Structures are given as structure tokens and as C-alpha cells.
Amino acid sequence: MIEFSQFTLDNGLQVIVHTDTQVNTFVLNVLYDVGSRDEHPDKTGFAHLFEHLMFGGSKHISAFDEPLQRAGGENNAFTSPDITNYYITIPAQNKETAFWLESDRMLSLSFDPKVLEVQRQVVIEEFKQRYLNQPYGDVWLKLRPLAYTQHGYRWPTIGKEIRHIENATLQDVKDFFYTYYVPSNAYLVLAGNITLEEAKRLSEKWFGPIPGGKKPVRNIPIEPKQTTARFLETSGNVPLDALYKTYPMCGKNDAAYYATDCLSDIVGRGKSSLLYQQLVQEKKYFNSIQAYVMGSIDPGLLVIDGKLNKGVSLSDGDNAIQTLLEDIMTNGIGEKEISKAKNQAESTLVFGEVEILNRAMNLAFAAVTGNPESVNQEAEKIQNITSSEVNSIAKEIFQKENCSTLWYKATNSI
Amino acid sequence: MSSTILNRAIAPELQAIDRFHLPQVKTVSLLNGVHLHTLAMGQQPVVRLEWGLPAGSVAENKQGAAFFAAKMLTEGTNRYSSVEIQDYFAELGAFIEVTPGTERLLFTLYALDKHIPALVSFVHHLLSESTLPESEFEKLRRIQIQTVEVNLKKTSYIASTHFRSILFGKEHLYGRHLDVNAIQALSIDDIKEVYSTAIQNNVTDIFITGGYSEKSIESIQAFFGTTPTLPSSVRTIPSPVLTSTSLTTVPVEGSVQSSIRIGRPTFAAAHPDYFDASIYTEILGGYFGSRLMQNIREDKGYTYGIHASMVNLQHLGYFVIGTDVKRAHTAATIEEVKKEMKLLRSEPVPSDELQNVQQYLLGSFINSIQTPFAIADKFKSIYFQGLEYQHYQDFFHRIQVITSEDILKIAQTHFQEDDMTMVIAGGMEE
């Protein structure tokens, strides 16, 4: 249970306060309701590049990190297909520094051309380090455009290609900032060692004077229902063949989300899952295999991915997965499997609330999906999952024509 | 409300970070001599329970035996199969981690308090009655060989393993890594030997942290507090023969980046220079405002990240700088690193910068002791290195009083750029 209060400033900024006096630190988390799904198809990777620019100085403060370090604070940020999230953790006595810094960059950036030039290079190296210089690193560059044909989820957050990052201009940066980085498009979570009165006073003082702007209207094409199976074969300098299968599913706000997540756990979370027990343990087809959901706000994907043991063909591995899924669709999943997955989900949830920063992020994410109170409804939603619900979802989701399959072949073996 | 206009150019006043509160772990000896370390904390009924055993790689006679003995703990007993063991944990919503190290093995369990008594009994069964089935060993062996093969495609893995084997020697516990040949040379008997000599009835320490109940403690006493523990002949790690090379290049064809490691062996946390060396490392490449990060990422854009750290081993430690850069920038990056190291031993750090890093370190220390698990980790770290809680008081104090002259001196004593071992995995050309 995460207790919280909420209020909205006159400029439209929504503020959520979670007081925990057991900790000596304070967390300031700002979530902007913009992610890579909002990008133009010819300017992908921009939301993430922009996140880097948020550290390059704001209107009244030439550097973001230095004054924060001087106050004993730490910070970071991340961009996802759905959102961009910034957070500061700081000893409670210096909390006002966090308000000062975070509000100034919400007011305006410095828009220094040198910052853009350097961060463009940094992001290109990040692209290489994470997507090109890792075995299987480019999988999502290939899998996303297979699984999605219209929606902004069809490119990864880092961007479709390095060229888009190379082409970004300072004007793009300004347009993006003034469109999305406005109080009416943001959620501010204040957590840890702070009282509600302090939270009200300091947010009013620092964030209150920022012009509210207009919440941008989201206009992302809806992904049409998949009607035929899709297939792509690719190869790379990797030691083992790998295969990936995606199945369209509902988004995070849908009533069926928790049962679908539960289904993915039963099918492929950990060594107790059906895929591991049957295809790693018994049949010995796979070296590793797992299933999970992407957890996106718009309709998402349930993913199965596995690496094959040497000597097992991709088609044998693929058929074995198909057989297992058909067995689930025909014979159903038993109560025992369901209660196991529910117990795992319940303890994952409770362990996830140990850290104050996680609690703050959970609140922000719940707020952007429409209702901060939903953080405290998850346990109940998990407990309410029924086997008939899980089984009917399995029957619907695992239809062959719903699937996009990627075979990743090893070009050479060691 | 005051009506004055907000002046955003002026930073809010700062207050000194001059104290910290670190709740202490309590240690008791059970009847059989096992040390039980307890930290009751947190309002939620989440518990982390860890068993420490002298079954690190130091206990093995053949390389890799301790690693696989650890992994085999969940692969079969006289009553449960591998599948049934996984199911048992999963049904109670429990998660386990098995961490085989050099000195010791840690078996970690995360669970809700209500399930702890049953799980304690079950873990006792694994630690005393595993049968180590050979077929499961073959499965794990195959998986591990393939994992190594995937790792060998990563320049970062290649650079790190080469770096340590140059520093400590290919044969030494700190310098070797589990390669395919070593894995293939193992037999189930090697694993059984580690199990019977260093795991069965060999628990030395138990750590329980979180919102646990008295019932959970009672179950630990019942299962782990009475059976006599074997008089374990704990081996000590021999001192490595330290070597260095100026530059080793491991060509990796087709890589788009080079991974670089630059560093040298240093000393354990008990060494009188440890605090100053740690603060030096922070200034050079520890935090985001560090010299290396500012120069090589924020000014030149050569990399996504560059980081310097001090790694603690049992009676030793090492200093290492690591980064992944565009191949064509490899040589320039090394030059810049040398330049920054030379600068730190030629000129005192400006007081502004020193103050920044001091405040940052004090704040991040406070930040690192806010959850029960993190607080218990702080204890484990000093306990395993034979230190007292005073170590943290001393470090906190040292951060507050260290001067630019102290940094200059430590840089000159231990961090000569020409004494560093360097490894590049990748290449110099685009």
C-alpha cells in the first residue's frame, strides 16, 4: 500500500505526494507524457536524444549536474516508447535544490548548439554499444517493424537508424520542447522525507510560475488487427540460433492486462515455467527460453524468445513452441499453475515497493495511465485473476495468424 | 506567501550533510557455532534470507567445480527432482539467487515472511541432501558452454577477462575465467567433492533482513542451529604474482566499438590509502561530473560512458577504468585518459571541484543506506572483509576533511599513468 495525496497547480501540473519519514532522502520524479511512439516516422530516436539534452543546461542554470552534486544529490532519466521520466534522489535537507533545478529546465532549456552536437555523438555511441556491438543486439530493430505496421511502437526508442539522430536540428529540439515539455503534459511526484505542506509550498513556488502550455493531442495511428502470420529470417555473428515470437495483446489499462501478464508468466517466466520445463529441461531443444509482456500503454506484445541448443534446427524449435501453445489452447492451464503465477506476481509487487524511488516511479506511471490509485489496486487485480480468464486469453492470443516470428541464424559457429 | 519575484539564478541555500544513520546488524552465535546476522526493518513482510558457505572457487580442486556445485543445488535431491524444486519455490512466490564467488558461496532467498519457515526447511534439505544428478549436470554444462560462447562475442567481456588475467595471472583465482575447455574437463565427481567438503553441513553464516517474524527466526534455529557443522578447513587465497603490460590488443573482427580497460592492482579496504584512493577514483571517473566523463563523453562525445572504480577483493583490490568507444577514437581516448591522470598528479584539484565531489559522495552514501537490504549489504561488505562499522564513520569523516593536497599525493603515489595495464578488445581502425 502506497499512501499518497494529490493536487493540481493552476498551470495544470499534477502533483502527487508520498510521505515516508522512515527514509532520510527525498525523491523528485517528473514524468513527461511523451515517448518514442509520439515521434514522426522520419525523425525517430528523438524523444531519447532530447532526454540527453535536458542535462545540457537550462534557462538560468548553466549545468544541471554540478549544483545537484554539490547538494549531495544523484539523478538519472530514461525514455521508453510511452514516456520520458526524470528523477532526483537527494538528502532531505537539500530538497529545495531539486525543485530549483527541475523547475528551471521545465521552464526552458539553454538550447546550446554545442550540447546538441556532443549529445548526438554520445547517443550514436549508445546506439552502437547497445544495439550493434552486442550479440543479438539488433533484434528489436528488426522485430518491431515486423510486429507493428502502423503504430509508433514499430521503431525502438533509440531510433530506427543512426541517420535520424544525425539529422536532428536545433529547431527540432525547440519544437519538441515547447510541444511536450509543458506543465500540462507532466506529472510531478514528491516522495520520501517531505510533508504535504512542504510539498505544496515548494511546488507552488518553483513550478507554479511556469506557463502551463497546452496538453498535446495524441494522434498515433491505431495498429490494425493482425490477420496473417508474419515471418522474417535474419542472421548475425552470434554463436547460437535464436527465435522470437510476438503476439499482439491488450494495453496496460485494459481489464485483461493482468491475466495476460499472468499467462506469460505461466508460459515462460523462470525455470518453473512451461517453456523451460518442457523445452529446456525435458526435450533439451533450447539453451534458454522465456516469455514476457512488454507492458506498454497502447496495445502491446506478448513475446517468447529462446536460444536453441546447437544441433537443433530453428524449425524444430519453432514447432516445439507451437505444439506447446496448442496444447495450452486445447487442454487449458490448471489451477495449480495459475496460483503459482499469482503468488509470484504478488511477491514481485511487494518487493518492488521496498525502494522509495520505485514507489515514486510507480505512482508517476499510474498517474500517466489515468489513475494514480491504480498502484494500490494491482494486488487485488492479481488475486482476482481466474483460470477461465487466463485460458480464454490464451485461446485468443496464441492463434497462429496472430504471430510474428523472427529467426535469427548464427552465421558462423565457434 | 511572499510577493517577491522568484530569482531562479540563485540556488537555494544548502545545508551540510554532516551525519548519517546506519542501523546495525545484530550477530548471535547459534548452538553449533553458525553466525546468525539479523536486521529487523521495514513495515512490509518481505524477507531476504542468505546462507554463506565456504564453497567459493577457493574450495575447488578443479576449476569450475565450485561454480557448478552451486548451480546444482537446485537440480535434484533424494526427494525432489529439478522441476519439483523449481515448482516448490515458485508456488510460494519465492525467488532464489545462487552466487558462487571466489571466497564463498551465497545462497539467497527472497520471500514473504509467511512462507519463510517452510522455505528454511526446504533450503536445509537442498544443502544437505542434494544428489547432484549427472544428467542435470550435463544440461547445465551445455548451457554454460553456450553462455560463454555468447560472452565471447562481447568486446566488454573479452576486455575484462583479459585485463584480470594479465593483472593476476591466468592460473590465479582472481585472474582466470571459466572457459569452454575448463568446463569440458569437469566431471560430476569434481562437483560432488565440493558439495561434500564445502557445502554439506558447512553453513557458516546466515543473514536475515526485512520484516520477519519470530517464527522465521525459530525455524532457522531449528534447522541450522543444532546440527554440528563440519570443521571446515577454510582455504586461503594465495597471493597472486602481480604483472602488468603497457598495452595488449585483442583484435575483434567486425566490432563497431572497442572496449578499453586501464588499471592496476591496488589494495584491500583496510589499507591506510584506501579512502583517499577511492576519492581520487571518484574525481577521475566515478561520478557524472568526473574528469573522464566530462572530457571523453560530455566534451568529445567519444563514448556513451566511461567509468573508473576500485574493486574490492578479499585481501586485495584493483583500480580499473572501463569504456566502450568508437574504434577510430580508441587511441585518442587512451591519450585523453593518460592526460587526465597526469593532470591529477601534477596539479591540485580546484577547491570548487573537490567540494562538489565531497558533497556528492556524502549524499550518495546517505542515499545508499535507505532500504533494509542495502543496509544489510553494508554490513556484509565489512563483515566479509574483517572490518568494523567504524570503517563507515572513518570514510564519511575522511570525505569531509580530505584536501586537494591529499588527492595530489595519492595520485602521485599510486596512479602513475605509465604504470597502468591497458587492454583493448576491438581495434583501432573504423
Side-chain angles (χ1 to χ4, degrees):
Chain A
M1 180 75 183
I2 305 175
E3 285 177 22
F4 66 91
S5 313
Q6 54 181 327
F7 54 90
T8 306
L9 299 184
D10 291 343
N11 58 12
L13 179 65
Q14 299 192 45
V15 187
I16 296 166
V17 184
H18 164 59
T19 302
D20 180 351
T21 51
Q22 301 283 310
V23 299
N24 303 312
T25 51
F26 165 68
V27 171
L28 188 152
N29 187 95
V30 178
L31 183 152
Y32 291 97
D33 188 1
V34 58
S36 56
R37 65 177 161 161
D38 297 300
E39 292 162 348
H40 189 276
D42 298 329
K43 292 183 176 181
T44 66
F46 198 83
H48 168 253
L49 172 64
F50 188 86
E51 174 215 313
H52 278 245
L53 305 178
M54 283 286 280
F55 295 88
S58 54
K59 189 164 185 185
H60 302 92
I61 307 167
S62 63
F64 182 85
D65 287 283
E66 233 179 88
L68 183 63
Q69 286 150 8
R70 185 158 295 226
E74 299 176 278
N75 77 97
N76 214 331
F78 63 85
T79 309
S80 81
D82 289 325
I83 57 149
T84 313
N85 193 59
Y86 299 82
Y87 52 95
I88 292 174
T89 308
I90 192 165
Q93 65 262 45
N94 288 335
K95 60 172 77 88
E96 191 158 358
T97 300
F99 283 88
W100 170 60
L101 286 167
E102 202 61 67
S103 64
D104 199 51
R105 64 178 178 177
M106 188 183 286
L107 179 67
S108 182
L109 291 183
S110 67
F111 301 115
D112 176 352
K114 155 106 184 170
V115 172
L116 174 61
E117 287 327 306
V118 169
Q119 292 307 316
R120 189 200 305 281
Q121 295 313 313
V122 169
V123 169
I124 290 171
E125 290 311 306
E126 180 181 1
F127 195 122
K128 291 181 192 163
Q129 184 176 326
R130 295 169 56 171
Y131 292 80
L132 305 182
N133 205 37
Q134 297 293 333
Y136 314 99
D138 59 350
V139 159
W140 286 98
L141 290 169
K142 298 180 164 149
L143 196 48
R144 281 187 175 273
L146 185 69
Y148 291 98
T149 58
Q150 299 295 319
H151 191 278
Y153 288 160
R154 72 185 188 275
W155 51 83
T157 302
I158 194 76
K160 264 184 210 171
E161 46 188 314
I162 287 179
R163 191 173 52 86
H164 286 185
I165 298 160
E166 285 168 344
N167 290 344
T169 67
L170 207 55
Q171 192 55 48
D172 293 334
V173 174
K174 287 183 181 164
D175 292 346
F176 196 84
F177 181 80
Y178 291 116
T179 308
Y180 295 109
Y181 280 63
V182 288
S184 55
N185 200 38
Y187 298 84
L188 175 64
V189 177
L190 309 170
N193 206 319
I194 186 167
T195 63
L196 180 59
E197 289 66 36
E198 240 181 328
K200 281 186 174 158
R201 181 175 63 80
L202 291 171
S203 15
E204 189 59 57
K205 175 177 173 184
W206 291 103
F207 288 93
I210 303 171
K214 205 172 84 207
K215 187 163 176 75
V217 179
R218 186 162 267 132
N219 193 13
I220 302 172
I222 291 169
E223 184 66 23
K225 189 175 160 46
Q226 185 170 345
T227 50
T228 50
R230 299 172 194 157
F231 178 78
L232 178 70
E233 186 170 336
T234 184
S235 63
N237 181 14
V238 292
L240 303 175
D241 291 344
L243 74 82
Y244 300 79
K245 294 175 90 66
T246 67
Y247 299 87
M249 62 172 278
C250 62
K252 188 108 211 240
N253 283 337
D254 198 285
Y257 178 81
Y258 287 90
T260 314
D261 191 16
C262 179
L263 171 66
S264 76
D265 286 350
I266 293 166
V267 171
R269 180 181 182 185
K271 292 182 174 176
S272 171
S273 66
L274 298 172
L275 283 169
Y276 187 92
Q277 294 202 350
Q278 294 183 26
L279 304 187
V280 176
Q281 187 70 27
E282 281 168 39
K283 285 210 177 81
K284 299 180 173 52
Y285 279 7
F286 283 85
N287 170 276
S288 62
I289 190 160
Q290 53 182 337
Y292 49 91
V293 300
M294 300 291 277
S296 56
I297 294 176
D298 289 335
L301 298 173
L302 186 154
V303 184
I304 295 175
D305 79 48
K307 293 190 178 67
L308 288 132
N309 279 323
K310 281 184 187 166
V312 180
S313 71
L314 277 158
S315 67
D316 284 351
D318 204 341
N319 287 335
I321 294 174
Q322 194 54 42
T323 307
L324 184 147
L325 297 178
E326 272 161 22
D327 179 63
I328 290 173
M329 290 191 284
T330 315
N331 300 316
I333 291 166
E335 289 294 343
K336 192 180 148 195
E337 292 299 325
I338 308 249
S339 82
K340 188 169 81 181
K342 282 160 73 166
N343 287 343
Q344 284 184 299
E346 185 196 351
S347 65
T348 302
L349 187 68
V350 188
F351 272 97
E353 290 177 2
V354 170
E355 293 248 10
I356 186 79
L357 178 59
N358 283 348
R359 279 179 257 156
M361 286 189 198
N362 289 351
L363 280 166
F365 194 74
V368 76
T369 56
N371 177 16
E373 186 52 37
S374 65
V375 284
N376 292 321
Q377 295 161 351
E378 283 192 81
E380 199 188 335
K381 284 178 185 161
I382 291 166
Q383 279 320 315
N384 288 343
I385 297 167
T386 65
S387 63
S388 65
E389 197 183 357
V390 173
N391 281 314
S392 77
I393 291 169
K395 272 185 199 151
E396 193 189 315
I397 277 191
F398 291 136
Q399 297 292 332
K400 265 186 176 171
E401 57 271 23
N402 251 343
C403 184
S404 299
T405 303
L406 175 74
W407 286 5
Y408 199 117
K409 269 189 92 64
T411 44
N412 66 337
S413 49
I414 311 170
Chain B
M1 289 285 283
S2 112
S3 61
T4 49
I5 290 167
L6 188 61
N7 186 347
R8 292 183 181 272
I10 298 171
E13 245 175 74
L14 295 182
Q15 288 183 36
I17 303 164
D18 51 6
R19 75 198 67 168
F20 64 89
H21 173 62
L22 179 60
Q24 298 202 355
V25 166
K26 291 191 184 68
T27 298
V28 293
S29 279
L30 302 181
L31 292 173
N32 57 358
V34 168
H35 299 294
L36 175 62
H37 312 277
T38 61
L39 179 66
M41 212 188 148
Q43 292 121 328
Q44 288 152 320
V46 294
V47 179
R48 185 178 78 182
L49 189 49
E50 289 179 289
W51 286 264
L53 301 112
S57 46
V58 68
E60 70 198 10
N61 289 320
K62 211 159 168 189
Q63 192 192 353
F67 173 87
F68 281 101
K71 299 287 173 194
M72 286 295 287
L73 290 175
T74 51
E75 294 298 335
T77 70
N78 52 9
R79 283 190 276 148
Y80 296 89
S81 70
S82 170
V83 169
E84 288 163 344
I85 291 170
Q86 296 302 337
D87 272 344
Y88 192 95
F89 286 117
E91 275 161 22
L92 298 181
F95 298 94
I96 51 166
E97 274 168 19
V98 183
T99 318
T102 312
E103 293 89 13
R104 68 189 60 79
L105 160 67
L106 279 179
F107 188 102
T108 309
L109 173 77
Y110 295 89
L112 300 181
D113 182 62
K114 59 185 174 186
H115 299 308
I116 292 291
L119 289 161
V120 164
S121 155
F122 191 66
V123 170
H124 182 263
H125 176 59
L126 301 182
L127 295 177
S128 49
E129 290 165 296
S130 276
T131 49
L132 312 172
E134 191 160 8
S135 60
E136 303 298 347
F137 171 57
E138 292 306 332
K139 171 192 74 182
L140 293 184
R141 186 210 300 268
R142 193 180 54 240
I143 289 174
Q144 190 59 27
I145 286 174
Q146 296 178 349
T147 301
V148 170
E149 286 172 351
V150 173
N151 285 338
L152 287 172
K153 296 287 178 191
K154 299 177 185 163
T155 53
S156 56
Y157 176 85
I158 297 168
S160 291
T161 50
H162 274 79
F163 177 73
R164 280 198 308 275
S165 70
I166 292 169
L167 243 46
F168 301 115
K170 275 187 170 52
E171 305 302 321
H172 193 270
L173 288 170
Y174 292 149
R176 70 192 193 186
H177 56 276
L178 199 53
D179 60 18
V180 172
N181 288 337
I183 298 170
Q184 268 159 349
L186 283 165
S187 77
I188 190 69
D189 290 334
D190 300 319
I191 283 107
K192 286 184 170 162
E193 189 187 10
V194 172
Y195 186 75
S196 63
T197 59
I199 293 179
Q200 254 176 337
N201 298 319
N202 256 291
V203 171
T204 58
D205 295 278
I206 299 175
F207 304 85
I208 184 164
T209 311
Y212 57 81
S213 60
E214 194 49 38
K215 253 187 166 165
S216 293
I217 295 291
E218 284 164 12
S219 69
I220 293 168
Q221 285 166 334
F223 282 94
F224 288 94
T226 52
T227 326
T229 48
L230 292 176
S232 54
S233 50
V234 179
R235 296 186 193 174
T236 51
I237 297 170
S239 291
V241 179
L242 303 177
T243 59
S244 64
T245 61
S246 53
L247 179 63
T248 305
T249 303
V250 189
V252 179
E253 214 184 300
S255 77
V256 298
Q257 289 181 315
S258 289
S259 291
I260 305 173
R261 298 290 179 272
I262 300 172
R264 59 161 302 190
T266 49
F267 26 73
H271 191 280
D273 286 348
Y274 176 77
F275 295 150
D276 288 13
S278 300
I279 298 166
Y280 163 90
T281 304
E282 202 69 28
I283 293 170
L284 176 69
Y287 69 126
F288 196 81
S290 70
R291 298 275 176 105
L292 293 176
M293 200 68 152
Q294 291 304 311
N295 177 346
I296 292 164
R297 171 176 148 142
E298 291 298 287
D299 184 54
K300 304 209 168 56
Y302 286 172
T303 181
Y304 177 49
I306 181 162
H307 219 79
S309 51
M310 297 267 293
V311 181
N312 290 329
L313 306 168
Q314 187 82 10
H315 304 292
L316 203 66
Y318 63 92
F319 160 80
V320 63
I321 299 165
T323 186
D324 291 353
V325 300
K326 188 174 175 174
R327 283 174 69 118
H329 290 152
T330 307
T333 299
I334 291 172
E335 270 322 296
E336 290 300 323
V337 170
K338 285 184 161 186
K339 220 191 273 175
E340 293 295 353
M341 292 184 75
K342 188 173 178 197
L343 194 60
L344 276 179
R345 59 178 187 80
S346 318
E347 288 174 30
V349 175
S351 61
D352 251 29
E353 183 183 355
L354 182 62
Q355 225 184 328
N356 261 2
V357 79
Q358 285 171 309
Q359 295 309 306
Y360 170 77
L361 278 171
L362 296 172
S364 71
F365 181 74
I366 305 268
N367 188 27
S368 75
I369 50 171
Q370 299 300 328
T371 71
F373 304 144
I375 291 166
D377 285 344
K378 284 278 185 271
F379 169 73
K380 266 162 52 196
S381 167
I382 50 171
Y383 177 72
F384 287 140
Q385 293 183 83
L387 301 166
E388 303 289 330
Y389 270 113
Q390 187 61 34
H391 175 78
Y392 294 118
Q393 295 290 349
D394 293 345
F395 197 9
F396 199 81
H397 182 248
R398 187 63 192 156
I399 297 167
Q400 291 173 308
V401 301
I402 195 166
T403 65
S404 295
E405 286 65 40
D406 296 328
I407 300 290
L408 193 61
K409 197 166 146 233
I410 205 79
Q412 289 165 353
T413 317
H414 297 291
F415 301 100
Q416 294 274 344
E417 63 280 7
D418 293 328
D419 292 349
M420 297 292 142
T421 288
M422 296 192 212
V423 176
I424 298 168
M428 299 275 194
E429 305 79 31
E430 199 54 43

